[in-house]
């Protein structure tokens, strides 16, 4: 082959591979098999090795990582990478705004961005080509991590415009990636540590496997004169970057409160960690005039969201027996305040998890609390220096009934059907919110009633009377009346609540509703065969077998007969026959008529599944106002879309 032909072949392979990578990563589509892609990539790699002079600056081979590095060189930042002052309350923000208004007379508006919890880097492009990337370091000097950054697929190797520019942004690891990586490999405490640890890897091939991401938020240097920060933010997308897409313009600080609330609500459903909001003065031409405090600019400030993770000490591990017999090791902690809530217990999930974490009693650990989720231990910070620090041993016997435990995958299980701990949990589940929802019958009360022998089974609840509470501390006439009344209120309960309340393994609220959409009374379910049950869309072999086994047990049947004497199990409202039943549905955008949770409720009610993000399995996307990239992506993927209003009208919800 002539040299020129080789050059052309390299260009062709580069373009082709970049095209397919773009389709795959940005549009979830593929027009070529993985094998063909790998073959072409290998071919390109071989050619580039032989003819390095022809290697393109946007070669996809950069993405898979090259030579192992011996270390990172220190680099001086052309423009200092400043940090931000923190604020913690609305009052702090108003004070900040007042200070700004004392300095400048112009009307100030703001651009609010999520504060991404990763690590800051500066990327230098010359003539549109990525030439250098450095960590923030101390803001003046950082480390040259260019080769590692080239593996980050959301960092364009070549911009869509041939300009000189320095872009600042955050390297993050998406939660979904973190969960996958952390389950098989070494333990990182959180996605931020994983991102930082990965970026400082000396082997760029490993960095490539860590699937890091980059989100830009600032232009440090350019010839273009942007009047507004939002224009700059938008320009970053035009260059080929993927900025975080929840940023919002507000016209004064009082509008920040709804944005903070919205952010708190969205926080758990994002695929990346955020630890605050960055509020920037939108009028970029005022930035210089506003000046600096000792270490930070005045034009921006960080509003910190409540912490999710703190460090504390593991004091002991106790064992909890669940409703299905699964033994959960529970961490007893030195109490610690996490974002305003004192946490003194956390789950350790199972004994495999204890091994994976390598945690011992006495260790300093990270504990995380997010939303309503039970706090969990995410990593060991440092091991106890005490030589006698406790190794946590796997139990052999159930801590309550002392029967031999059985191993089921990663779990240890008490299989004794008479285990008192399991029975207690079953009753607590039966009265819980999603099941019979008996107000005033909380877990502690059930525990008291079970331990004093007043209730042994579900039906015993309905036999309770005032005398049962005589001489029981803390139970005055009023509270007893409240409880008896709330029990009476549940004497008419829907079939799906009862079915869910029975606590059959694998029968969650959703599955219960799928079953009651087909069967109208409990006797039909009792006599259903496993084939009948499996025929229901969404119910698998294991669950249907569990159901049949449950109703083959004479004790269970006897209990249901007893229950029927006290409660009237009412037929389910049927609206599963919606045009949109049995689908995977994504919601995007907003509606002033329906809340997000309400729409999700409708979706579940018709036997469909709400999904968080659009992917291959998505059947339908419903969109409201201000629907953004998700709608575009769905349309590109050929997924059916419908407006929220049409969805309600055509969905037979009424
Ligand atoms: S702007 C001078 N915007 O927060 C202003 N920073 O304490 C430069 N961060 O080191 C920063 N998300 O790592 C800015 N949307 C965002 C951000 C953000 C995260 C980080 C960044 C910086 C730290 C400031």
């Amino acid at each position: 082959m002539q040299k020129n032909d080789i050059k052309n072949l390299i260009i062709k392979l580069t373009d082709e591979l970049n095209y397919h990578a773009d389709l795959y990563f940005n549009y979830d589509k593929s027009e070529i098999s993985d094998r063909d892609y790998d073959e072409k990539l290998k071919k390109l790699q071989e050619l580039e090795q032989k003819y390095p002079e022809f290697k393109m600056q946007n070669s996809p081979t950069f993405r898979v990582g090259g030579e192992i590095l011996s270390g990172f060189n220190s680099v001086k930042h052309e423009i200092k990478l400043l940090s931000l002052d923190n604020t913690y309350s609305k009052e702090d923000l108003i004070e900040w705004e007042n200070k700004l208004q004392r300095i400048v007379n112009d009307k100030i508006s703001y651009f609010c961005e999520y504060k991404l919890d990763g690590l800051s880097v500066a990327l230098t492009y010359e003539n549109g080509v990525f030439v250098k990337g450095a960590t923030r370091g101390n803001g003046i000097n950082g480390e040259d991590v260019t080769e590692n950054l080239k593996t980050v697929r959301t960092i364009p190797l070549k911009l869509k415009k041939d300009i000189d520019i320095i872009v600042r942004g955050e390297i993050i690891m998406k939660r979904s990636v973190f969960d996958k990586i952390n389950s098989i490999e070494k333990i990182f405490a959180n996605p931020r540590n994983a991102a930082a640890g990965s970026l400082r890897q000396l082997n760029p091939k490993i960095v490539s496997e860590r699937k890091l991401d980059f989100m830009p938020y600032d232009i440090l240097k350019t010839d273009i004169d942007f009047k507004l920060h939002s224009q700059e933010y938008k320009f970053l997308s035009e260059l080929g970057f993927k900025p975080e897409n929840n940023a919002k313009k507000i016209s004064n600080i009082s509008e920040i409160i709804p944005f903070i609330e919205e952010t708190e609500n969205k926080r758990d459903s994002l695929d990346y960690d955020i630890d605050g909001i960055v509020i920037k003065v939108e009028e970029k031409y005022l930035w210089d005039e506003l000046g600096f405090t000792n270490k930070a600019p005045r034009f921006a400030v960080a509003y910190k969201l409540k912490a999710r993770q703190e460090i504390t000490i593991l004091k002991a591990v106790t064992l909890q027996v669940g409703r299905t017999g699964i033994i959960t090791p529970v961490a007893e902690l030195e109490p610690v305040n996490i974002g305003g809530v004192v946490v003194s217990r956390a789950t350790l999930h199972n004994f495999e998890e204890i091994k994976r974490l390598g945690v011992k009693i006495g260790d300093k650990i990270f504990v995380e609390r997010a939303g309503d989720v039970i706090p969990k231990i995410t990593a060991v910070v440092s091991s106890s220096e005490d030589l006698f620090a406790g190794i946590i041993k796997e139990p052999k016997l159930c801590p309550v009934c002392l029967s031999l435990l059985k191993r089921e995958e990663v779990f240890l299980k008490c299989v004794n059907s008479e285990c008192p701990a399991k029975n207690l949990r079953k009753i607590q589940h039966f009265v819980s919110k999603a099941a019979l929802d008996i107000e005033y019958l909380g877990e502690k009360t059930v525990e008291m009633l079970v331990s004093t022998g007043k209730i042994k089974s579900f039906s015993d609840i309905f036999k309770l009377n005032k005398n049962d509470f005589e001489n029981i501390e803390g139970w005055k006439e009023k509270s007893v009346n409240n409880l008896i009344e709330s029990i009476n209120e549940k004497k008419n309960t829907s079939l799906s609540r009862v079915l869910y309340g029975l606590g059959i393994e694998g029968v969650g609220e959703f599955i219960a509703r799928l079953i009651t959409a087909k069967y109208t009374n409990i006797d039909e379910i009792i006599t259903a065969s496993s084939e009948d049950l499996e025929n229901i869309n969404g119910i698998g072999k294991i669950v249907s077998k569990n159901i049949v086994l449950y109703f083959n047990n004479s004790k269970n049947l006897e209990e249901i007969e007893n229950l029927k004497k006290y409660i009237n199990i009412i037929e389910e409202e049927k609206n599963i026959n919606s045009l949109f039943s049995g689908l995977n549905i994504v919601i995007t955008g907003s509606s002033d008529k329906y809340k997000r949770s309400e729409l999700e409720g409708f979706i579940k009610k018709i036997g469909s599944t709400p999904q968080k993000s659009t992917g291959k399995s998505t059947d339908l996307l419903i969109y409201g106002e201000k629907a953004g990239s998700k709608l575009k992506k769905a349309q590109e993927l050929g997924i059916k879309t419908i407006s929220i209003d049409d969805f309600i009208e055509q969905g037979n919800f009424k």
Side-chain angles (χ1 to χ4, degrees), residues 82-84 113-116 120 136 168 170 217 278 280 297 299:
L82 299 167
S83 71
L84 295 171
E113 295 164 22
Y114 284 0
K115 186 167 186 297
L116 303 157
S120 194
R136 176 171 181 272
R168 180 173 177 185
E170 203 84 349
Y217 43 69
V278 181
K280 299 178 179 170
F299 64 76

mmCIF file with all atom_site columns, all heavy atoms in Angstrom, residues 82-84 113-116 120 136 168 170 217 278 280 297 299, ligand 1:
data_model
loop_
_atom_site.group_PDB
_atom_site.id
_atom_site.type_symbol
_atom_site.label_atom_id
_atom_site.label_alt_id
_atom_site.label_comp_id
_atom_site.label_asym_id
_atom_site.label_entity_id
_atom_site.label_seq_id
_atom_site.pdbx_PDB_ins_code
_atom_site.Cartn_x
_atom_site.Cartn_y
_atom_site.Cartn_z
_atom_site.occupancy
_atom_site.B_iso_or_equiv
_atom_site.pdbx_formal_charge
_atom_site.auth_seq_id
_atom_site.auth_comp_id
_atom_site.auth_asym_id
_atom_site.auth_atom_id
_atom_site.pdbx_PDB_model_num
ATOM   1   N N   . LEU A 1 82  ? -9.919  28.501 40.924 1.00 0.00 ? 82  LEU A N   1
ATOM   2   C CA  . LEU A 1 82  ? -10.350 28.977 42.246 1.00 0.00 ? 82  LEU A CA  1
ATOM   3   C C   . LEU A 1 82  ? -11.381 28.036 42.847 1.00 0.00 ? 82  LEU A C   1
ATOM   4   O O   . LEU A 1 82  ? -11.960 27.209 42.149 1.00 0.00 ? 82  LEU A O   1
ATOM   5   C CB  . LEU A 1 82  ? -10.976 30.363 42.090 1.00 0.00 ? 82  LEU A CB  1
ATOM   6   C CG  . LEU A 1 82  ? -10.033 31.416 41.534 1.00 0.00 ? 82  LEU A CG  1
ATOM   7   C CD1 . LEU A 1 82  ? -10.813 32.643 41.131 1.00 0.00 ? 82  LEU A CD1 1
ATOM   8   C CD2 . LEU A 1 82  ? -8.957  31.767 42.552 1.00 0.00 ? 82  LEU A CD2 1
ATOM   9   N N   . SER A 1 83  ? -11.572 28.192 44.143 1.00 0.00 ? 83  SER A N   1
ATOM   10  C CA  . SER A 1 83  ? -12.671 27.418 44.736 1.00 0.00 ? 83  SER A CA  1
ATOM   11  C C   . SER A 1 83  ? -13.779 28.382 45.155 1.00 0.00 ? 83  SER A C   1
ATOM   12  O O   . SER A 1 83  ? -13.694 29.575 44.876 1.00 0.00 ? 83  SER A O   1
ATOM   13  C CB  . SER A 1 83  ? -12.174 26.567 45.892 1.00 0.00 ? 83  SER A CB  1
ATOM   14  O OG  . SER A 1 83  ? -11.852 27.403 46.963 1.00 0.00 ? 83  SER A OG  1
ATOM   15  N N   . LEU A 1 84  ? -14.793 27.856 45.793 1.00 0.00 ? 84  LEU A N   1
ATOM   16  C CA  . LEU A 1 84  ? -15.968 28.680 46.096 1.00 0.00 ? 84  LEU A CA  1
ATOM   17  C C   . LEU A 1 84  ? -16.184 28.811 47.594 1.00 0.00 ? 84  LEU A C   1
ATOM   18  O O   . LEU A 1 84  ? -15.840 27.912 48.352 1.00 0.00 ? 84  LEU A O   1
ATOM   19  C CB  . LEU A 1 84  ? -17.224 28.021 45.493 1.00 0.00 ? 84  LEU A CB  1
ATOM   20  C CG  . LEU A 1 84  ? -17.290 27.923 43.988 1.00 0.00 ? 84  LEU A CG  1
ATOM   21  C CD1 . LEU A 1 84  ? -18.482 27.066 43.583 1.00 0.00 ? 84  LEU A CD1 1
ATOM   22  C CD2 . LEU A 1 84  ? -17.419 29.309 43.373 1.00 0.00 ? 84  LEU A CD2 1
ATOM   23  N N   . GLU A 1 113 ? -26.457 26.048 39.014 1.00 0.00 ? 113 GLU A N   1
ATOM   24  C CA  . GLU A 1 113 ? -26.024 24.737 38.494 1.00 0.00 ? 113 GLU A CA  1
ATOM   25  C C   . GLU A 1 113 ? -25.907 23.757 39.645 1.00 0.00 ? 113 GLU A C   1
ATOM   26  O O   . GLU A 1 113 ? -25.696 24.167 40.780 1.00 0.00 ? 113 GLU A O   1
ATOM   27  C CB  . GLU A 1 113 ? -24.629 24.873 37.853 1.00 0.00 ? 113 GLU A CB  1
ATOM   28  C CG  . GLU A 1 113 ? -24.600 25.752 36.650 1.00 0.00 ? 113 GLU A CG  1
ATOM   29  C CD  . GLU A 1 113 ? -23.172 26.167 36.286 1.00 0.00 ? 113 GLU A CD  1
ATOM   30  O OE1 . GLU A 1 113 ? -22.214 25.476 36.680 1.00 0.00 ? 113 GLU A OE1 1
ATOM   31  O OE2 . GLU A 1 113 ? -23.036 27.198 35.626 1.00 0.00 ? 113 GLU A OE2 1
ATOM   32  N N   . TYR A 1 114 ? -26.000 22.488 39.338 1.00 0.00 ? 114 TYR A N   1
ATOM   33  C CA  . TYR A 1 114 ? -25.750 21.487 40.373 1.00 0.00 ? 114 TYR A CA  1
ATOM   34  C C   . TYR A 1 114 ? -24.263 21.486 40.689 1.00 0.00 ? 114 TYR A C   1
ATOM   35  O O   . TYR A 1 114 ? -23.425 21.663 39.802 1.00 0.00 ? 114 TYR A O   1
ATOM   36  C CB  . TYR A 1 114 ? -26.163 20.094 39.893 1.00 0.00 ? 114 TYR A CB  1
ATOM   37  C CG  . TYR A 1 114 ? -27.659 19.860 39.905 1.00 0.00 ? 114 TYR A CG  1
ATOM   38  C CD1 . TYR A 1 114 ? -28.543 20.853 40.328 1.00 0.00 ? 114 TYR A CD1 1
ATOM   39  C CD2 . TYR A 1 114 ? -28.189 18.637 39.508 1.00 0.00 ? 114 TYR A CD2 1
ATOM   40  C CE1 . TYR A 1 114 ? -29.908 20.636 40.349 1.00 0.00 ? 114 TYR A CE1 1
ATOM   41  C CE2 . TYR A 1 114 ? -29.558 18.410 39.525 1.00 0.00 ? 114 TYR A CE2 1
ATOM   42  C CZ  . TYR A 1 114 ? -30.412 19.417 39.938 1.00 0.00 ? 114 TYR A CZ  1
ATOM   43  O OH  . TYR A 1 114 ? -31.756 19.195 39.953 1.00 0.00 ? 114 TYR A OH  1
ATOM   44  N N   . LYS A 1 115 ? -23.957 21.291 41.971 1.00 0.00 ? 115 LYS A N   1
ATOM   45  C CA  . LYS A 1 115 ? -22.545 21.176 42.361 1.00 0.00 ? 115 LYS A CA  1
ATOM   46  C C   . LYS A 1 115 ? -22.190 19.694 42.321 1.00 0.00 ? 115 LYS A C   1
ATOM   47  O O   . LYS A 1 115 ? -22.632 18.907 43.162 1.00 0.00 ? 115 LYS A O   1
ATOM   48  C CB  . LYS A 1 115 ? -22.333 21.756 43.760 1.00 0.00 ? 115 LYS A CB  1
ATOM   49  C CG  . LYS A 1 115 ? -20.880 21.806 44.157 1.00 0.00 ? 115 LYS A CG  1
ATOM   50  C CD  . LYS A 1 115 ? -20.710 22.670 45.400 1.00 0.00 ? 115 LYS A CD  1
ATOM   51  C CE  . LYS A 1 115 ? -19.260 22.867 45.764 1.00 0.00 ? 115 LYS A CE  1
ATOM   52  N NZ  . LYS A 1 115 ? -18.574 21.639 46.106 1.00 0.00 ? 115 LYS A NZ  1
ATOM   53  N N   . LEU A 1 116 ? -21.473 19.333 41.307 1.00 0.00 ? 116 LEU A N   1
ATOM   54  C CA  . LEU A 1 116 ? -21.158 17.925 41.049 1.00 0.00 ? 116 LEU A CA  1
ATOM   55  C C   . LEU A 1 116 ? -20.100 17.443 42.032 1.00 0.00 ? 116 LEU A C   1
ATOM   56  O O   . LEU A 1 116 ? -19.127 18.166 42.307 1.00 0.00 ? 116 LEU A O   1
ATOM   57  C CB  . LEU A 1 116 ? -20.659 17.777 39.606 1.00 0.00 ? 116 LEU A CB  1
ATOM   58  C CG  . LEU A 1 116 ? -21.654 18.296 38.560 1.00 0.00 ? 116 LEU A CG  1
ATOM   59  C CD1 . LEU A 1 116 ? -20.948 18.652 37.270 1.00 0.00 ? 116 LEU A CD1 1
ATOM   60  C CD2 . LEU A 1 116 ? -22.738 17.259 38.337 1.00 0.00 ? 116 LEU A CD2 1
ATOM   61  N N   . SER A 1 120 ? -12.305 18.444 40.115 1.00 0.00 ? 120 SER A N   1
ATOM   62  C CA  . SER A 1 120 ? -12.241 19.494 39.116 1.00 0.00 ? 120 SER A CA  1
ATOM   63  C C   . SER A 1 120 ? -11.005 19.330 38.228 1.00 0.00 ? 120 SER A C   1
ATOM   64  O O   . SER A 1 120 ? -9.919  19.036 38.725 1.00 0.00 ? 120 SER A O   1
ATOM   65  C CB  . SER A 1 120 ? -12.166 20.817 39.879 1.00 0.00 ? 120 SER A CB  1
ATOM   66  O OG  . SER A 1 120 ? -12.406 21.878 39.026 1.00 0.00 ? 120 SER A OG  1
ATOM   67  N N   . ARG A 1 136 ? -7.073  19.829 39.508 1.00 0.00 ? 136 ARG A N   1
ATOM   68  C CA  . ARG A 1 136 ? -7.033  21.158 40.122 1.00 0.00 ? 136 ARG A CA  1
ATOM   69  C C   . ARG A 1 136 ? -5.806  21.318 41.016 1.00 0.00 ? 136 ARG A C   1
ATOM   70  O O   . ARG A 1 136 ? -5.202  22.381 41.061 1.00 0.00 ? 136 ARG A O   1
ATOM   71  C CB  . ARG A 1 136 ? -8.314  21.378 40.945 1.00 0.00 ? 136 ARG A CB  1
ATOM   72  C CG  . ARG A 1 136 ? -8.296  22.682 41.681 1.00 0.00 ? 136 ARG A CG  1
ATOM   73  C CD  . ARG A 1 136 ? -9.620  23.016 42.322 1.00 0.00 ? 136 ARG A CD  1
ATOM   74  N NE  . ARG A 1 136 ? -9.501  24.310 42.982 1.00 0.00 ? 136 ARG A NE  1
ATOM   75  C CZ  . ARG A 1 136 ? -9.081  24.475 44.229 1.00 0.00 ? 136 ARG A CZ  1
ATOM   76  N NH1 . ARG A 1 136 ? -8.759  23.427 44.959 1.00 0.00 ? 136 ARG A NH1 1
ATOM   77  N NH2 . ARG A 1 136 ? -8.976  25.681 44.749 1.00 0.00 ? 136 ARG A NH2 1
ATOM   78  N N   . ARG A 1 168 ? -13.211 24.292 32.156 1.00 0.00 ? 168 ARG A N   1
ATOM   79  C CA  . ARG A 1 168 ? -13.146 23.669 33.483 1.00 0.00 ? 168 ARG A CA  1
ATOM   80  C C   . ARG A 1 168 ? -14.423 22.885 33.743 1.00 0.00 ? 168 ARG A C   1
ATOM   81  O O   . ARG A 1 168 ? -15.514 23.307 33.345 1.00 0.00 ? 168 ARG A O   1
ATOM   82  C CB  . ARG A 1 168 ? -12.990 24.748 34.549 1.00 0.00 ? 168 ARG A CB  1
ATOM   83  C CG  . ARG A 1 168 ? -12.926 24.155 35.941 1.00 0.00 ? 168 ARG A CG  1
ATOM   84  C CD  . ARG A 1 168 ? -12.597 25.189 36.971 1.00 0.00 ? 168 ARG A CD  1
ATOM   85  N NE  . ARG A 1 168 ? -12.616 24.587 38.285 1.00 0.00 ? 168 ARG A NE  1
ATOM   86  C CZ  . ARG A 1 168 ? -12.465 25.247 39.414 1.00 0.00 ? 168 ARG A CZ  1
ATOM   87  N NH1 . ARG A 1 168 ? -12.263 26.554 39.389 1.00 0.00 ? 168 ARG A NH1 1
ATOM   88  N NH2 . ARG A 1 168 ? -12.484 24.620 40.567 1.00 0.00 ? 168 ARG A NH2 1
ATOM   89  N N   . GLU A 1 170 ? -16.019 18.952 35.854 1.00 0.00 ? 170 GLU A N   1
ATOM   90  C CA  . GLU A 1 170 ? -15.874 17.939 36.900 1.00 0.00 ? 170 GLU A CA  1
ATOM   91  C C   . GLU A 1 170 ? -15.762 16.545 36.294 1.00 0.00 ? 170 GLU A C   1
ATOM   92  O O   . GLU A 1 170 ? -16.517 16.192 35.383 1.00 0.00 ? 170 GLU A O   1
ATOM   93  C CB  . GLU A 1 170 ? -17.116 18.014 37.797 1.00 0.00 ? 170 GLU A CB  1
ATOM   94  C CG  . GLU A 1 170 ? -16.927 17.483 39.165 1.00 0.00 ? 170 GLU A CG  1
ATOM   95  C CD  . GLU A 1 170 ? -16.308 18.492 40.144 1.00 0.00 ? 170 GLU A CD  1
ATOM   96  O OE1 . GLU A 1 170 ? -15.832 19.566 39.700 1.00 0.00 ? 170 GLU A OE1 1
ATOM   97  O OE2 . GLU A 1 170 ? -16.303 18.188 41.345 1.00 0.00 ? 170 GLU A OE2 1
ATOM   98  N N   . TYR A 1 217 ? -18.418 23.200 33.305 1.00 0.00 ? 217 TYR A N   1
ATOM   99  C CA  . TYR A 1 217 ? -19.254 24.273 33.864 1.00 0.00 ? 217 TYR A CA  1
ATOM   100 C C   . TYR A 1 217 ? -18.647 25.664 33.748 1.00 0.00 ? 217 TYR A C   1
ATOM   101 O O   . TYR A 1 217 ? -19.237 26.624 34.207 1.00 0.00 ? 217 TYR A O   1
ATOM   102 C CB  . TYR A 1 217 ? -19.638 24.003 35.312 1.00 0.00 ? 217 TYR A CB  1
ATOM   103 C CG  . TYR A 1 217 ? -18.533 23.483 36.213 1.00 0.00 ? 217 TYR A CG  1
ATOM   104 C CD1 . TYR A 1 217 ? -17.469 24.280 36.589 1.00 0.00 ? 217 TYR A CD1 1
ATOM   105 C CD2 . TYR A 1 217 ? -18.581 22.169 36.679 1.00 0.00 ? 217 TYR A CD2 1
ATOM   106 C CE1 . TYR A 1 217 ? -16.476 23.797 37.418 1.00 0.00 ? 217 TYR A CE1 1
ATOM   107 C CE2 . TYR A 1 217 ? -17.586 21.675 37.510 1.00 0.00 ? 217 TYR A CE2 1
ATOM   108 C CZ  . TYR A 1 217 ? -16.535 22.491 37.877 1.00 0.00 ? 217 TYR A CZ  1
ATOM   109 O OH  . TYR A 1 217 ? -15.556 22.009 38.675 1.00 0.00 ? 217 TYR A OH  1
ATOM   110 N N   . VAL A 1 278 ? -24.428 25.449 42.769 1.00 0.00 ? 278 VAL A N   1
ATOM   111 C CA  . VAL A 1 278 ? -23.536 26.592 42.586 1.00 0.00 ? 278 VAL A CA  1
ATOM   112 C C   . VAL A 1 278 ? -24.360 27.709 41.961 1.00 0.00 ? 278 VAL A C   1
ATOM   113 O O   . VAL A 1 278 ? -25.000 27.512 40.927 1.00 0.00 ? 278 VAL A O   1
ATOM   114 C CB  . VAL A 1 278 ? -22.333 26.244 41.695 1.00 0.00 ? 278 VAL A CB  1
ATOM   115 C CG1 . VAL A 1 278 ? -21.412 27.452 41.544 1.00 0.00 ? 278 VAL A CG1 1
ATOM   116 C CG2 . VAL A 1 278 ? -21.558 25.070 42.279 1.00 0.00 ? 278 VAL A CG2 1
ATOM   117 N N   . LYS A 1 280 ? -24.301 31.285 40.268 1.00 0.00 ? 280 LYS A N   1
ATOM   118 C CA  . LYS A 1 280 ? -23.343 32.178 39.612 1.00 0.00 ? 280 LYS A CA  1
ATOM   119 C C   . LYS A 1 280 ? -24.050 33.429 39.117 1.00 0.00 ? 280 LYS A C   1
ATOM   120 O O   . LYS A 1 280 ? -25.212 33.352 38.677 1.00 0.00 ? 280 LYS A O   1
ATOM   121 C CB  . LYS A 1 280 ? -22.697 31.466 38.419 1.00 0.00 ? 280 LYS A CB  1
ATOM   122 C CG  . LYS A 1 280 ? -21.935 30.226 38.835 1.00 0.00 ? 280 LYS A CG  1
ATOM   123 C CD  . LYS A 1 280 ? -21.332 29.475 37.663 1.00 0.00 ? 280 LYS A CD  1
ATOM   124 C CE  . LYS A 1 280 ? -20.569 28.278 38.203 1.00 0.00 ? 280 LYS A CE  1
ATOM   125 N NZ  . LYS A 1 280 ? -20.148 27.346 37.168 1.00 0.00 ? 280 LYS A NZ  1
ATOM   126 N N   . PRO A 1 297 ? -13.929 33.690 44.239 1.00 0.00 ? 297 PRO A N   1
ATOM   127 C CA  . PRO A 1 297 ? -14.517 34.844 43.559 1.00 0.00 ? 297 PRO A CA  1
ATOM   128 C C   . PRO A 1 297 ? -15.842 35.227 44.203 1.00 0.00 ? 297 PRO A C   1
ATOM   129 O O   . PRO A 1 297 ? -16.472 34.393 44.842 1.00 0.00 ? 297 PRO A O   1
ATOM   130 C CB  . PRO A 1 297 ? -14.755 34.306 42.151 1.00 0.00 ? 297 PRO A CB  1
ATOM   131 C CG  . PRO A 1 297 ? -14.953 32.848 42.344 1.00 0.00 ? 297 PRO A CG  1
ATOM   132 C CD  . PRO A 1 297 ? -14.105 32.443 43.504 1.00 0.00 ? 297 PRO A CD  1
ATOM   133 N N   . PHE A 1 299 ? -18.364 36.284 42.373 1.00 0.00 ? 299 PHE A N   1
ATOM   134 C CA  . PHE A 1 299 ? -19.441 36.120 41.390 1.00 0.00 ? 299 PHE A CA  1
ATOM   135 C C   . PHE A 1 299 ? -20.191 34.798 41.527 1.00 0.00 ? 299 PHE A C   1
ATOM   136 O O   . PHE A 1 299 ? -21.202 34.576 40.876 1.00 0.00 ? 299 PHE A O   1
ATOM   137 C CB  . PHE A 1 299 ? -18.918 36.284 39.962 1.00 0.00 ? 299 PHE A CB  1
ATOM   138 C CG  . PHE A 1 299 ? -17.907 35.232 39.536 1.00 0.00 ? 299 PHE A CG  1
ATOM   139 C CD1 . PHE A 1 299 ? -18.300 33.953 39.203 1.00 0.00 ? 299 PHE A CD1 1
ATOM   140 C CD2 . PHE A 1 299 ? -16.560 35.554 39.460 1.00 0.00 ? 299 PHE A CD2 1
ATOM   141 C CE1 . PHE A 1 299 ? -17.376 32.997 38.810 1.00 0.00 ? 299 PHE A CE1 1
ATOM   142 C CE2 . PHE A 1 299 ? -15.628 34.604 39.062 1.00 0.00 ? 299 PHE A CE2 1
ATOM   143 C CZ  . PHE A 1 299 ? -16.032 33.328 38.745 1.00 0.00 ? 299 PHE A CZ  1
HETATM 144 S S1  . LIG B 2 .   ? -17.620 26.731 39.506 1.00 0.00 ? 1   LIG B S1  1
HETATM 145 C C1  . LIG B 2 .   ? -14.624 29.885 40.537 1.00 0.00 ? 1   LIG B C1  1
HETATM 146 N N1  . LIG B 2 .   ? -19.535 25.050 39.079 1.00 0.00 ? 1   LIG B N1  1
HETATM 147 O O1  . LIG B 2 .   ? -16.957 22.794 43.420 1.00 0.00 ? 1   LIG B O1  1
HETATM 148 C C2  . LIG B 2 .   ? -15.721 28.984 40.275 1.00 0.00 ? 1   LIG B C2  1
HETATM 149 N N2  . LIG B 2 .   ? -17.775 24.394 40.538 1.00 0.00 ? 1   LIG B N2  1
HETATM 150 O O2  . LIG B 2 .   ? -15.708 24.565 45.779 1.00 0.00 ? 1   LIG B O2  1
HETATM 151 C C3  . LIG B 2 .   ? -15.239 27.665 39.946 1.00 0.00 ? 1   LIG B C3  1
HETATM 152 N N3  . LIG B 2 .   ? -17.977 22.110 41.400 1.00 0.00 ? 1   LIG B N3  1
HETATM 153 O O3  . LIG B 2 .   ? -13.515 22.897 42.877 1.00 0.00 ? 1   LIG B O3  1
HETATM 154 C C4  . LIG B 2 .   ? -16.102 26.564 40.255 1.00 0.00 ? 1   LIG B C4  1
HETATM 155 N N4  . LIG B 2 .   ? -19.845 21.612 40.349 1.00 0.00 ? 1   LIG B N4  1
HETATM 156 O O4  . LIG B 2 .   ? -14.789 21.040 41.770 1.00 0.00 ? 1   LIG B O4  1
HETATM 157 C C5  . LIG B 2 .   ? -18.384 25.279 39.719 1.00 0.00 ? 1   LIG B C5  1
HETATM 158 N N5  . LIG B 2 .   ? -21.297 23.595 38.569 1.00 0.00 ? 1   LIG B N5  1
HETATM 159 C C6  . LIG B 2 .   ? -20.144 23.848 39.203 1.00 0.00 ? 1   LIG B C6  1
HETATM 160 C C7  . LIG B 2 .   ? -19.529 22.873 40.031 1.00 0.00 ? 1   LIG B C7  1
HETATM 161 C C8  . LIG B 2 .   ? -18.332 23.210 40.688 1.00 0.00 ? 1   LIG B C8  1
HETATM 162 C C9  . LIG B 2 .   ? -18.888 21.174 41.166 1.00 0.00 ? 1   LIG B C9  1
HETATM 163 C C10 . LIG B 2 .   ? -16.828 21.949 42.310 1.00 0.00 ? 1   LIG B C10 1
HETATM 164 C C11 . LIG B 2 .   ? -15.500 22.237 41.707 1.00 0.00 ? 1   LIG B C11 1
HETATM 165 C C12 . LIG B 2 .   ? -14.831 23.238 42.613 1.00 0.00 ? 1   LIG B C12 1
HETATM 166 C C13 . LIG B 2 .   ? -15.668 23.185 43.837 1.00 0.00 ? 1   LIG B C13 1
HETATM 167 C C14 . LIG B 2 .   ? -15.755 24.573 44.428 1.00 0.00 ? 1   LIG B C14 1
#
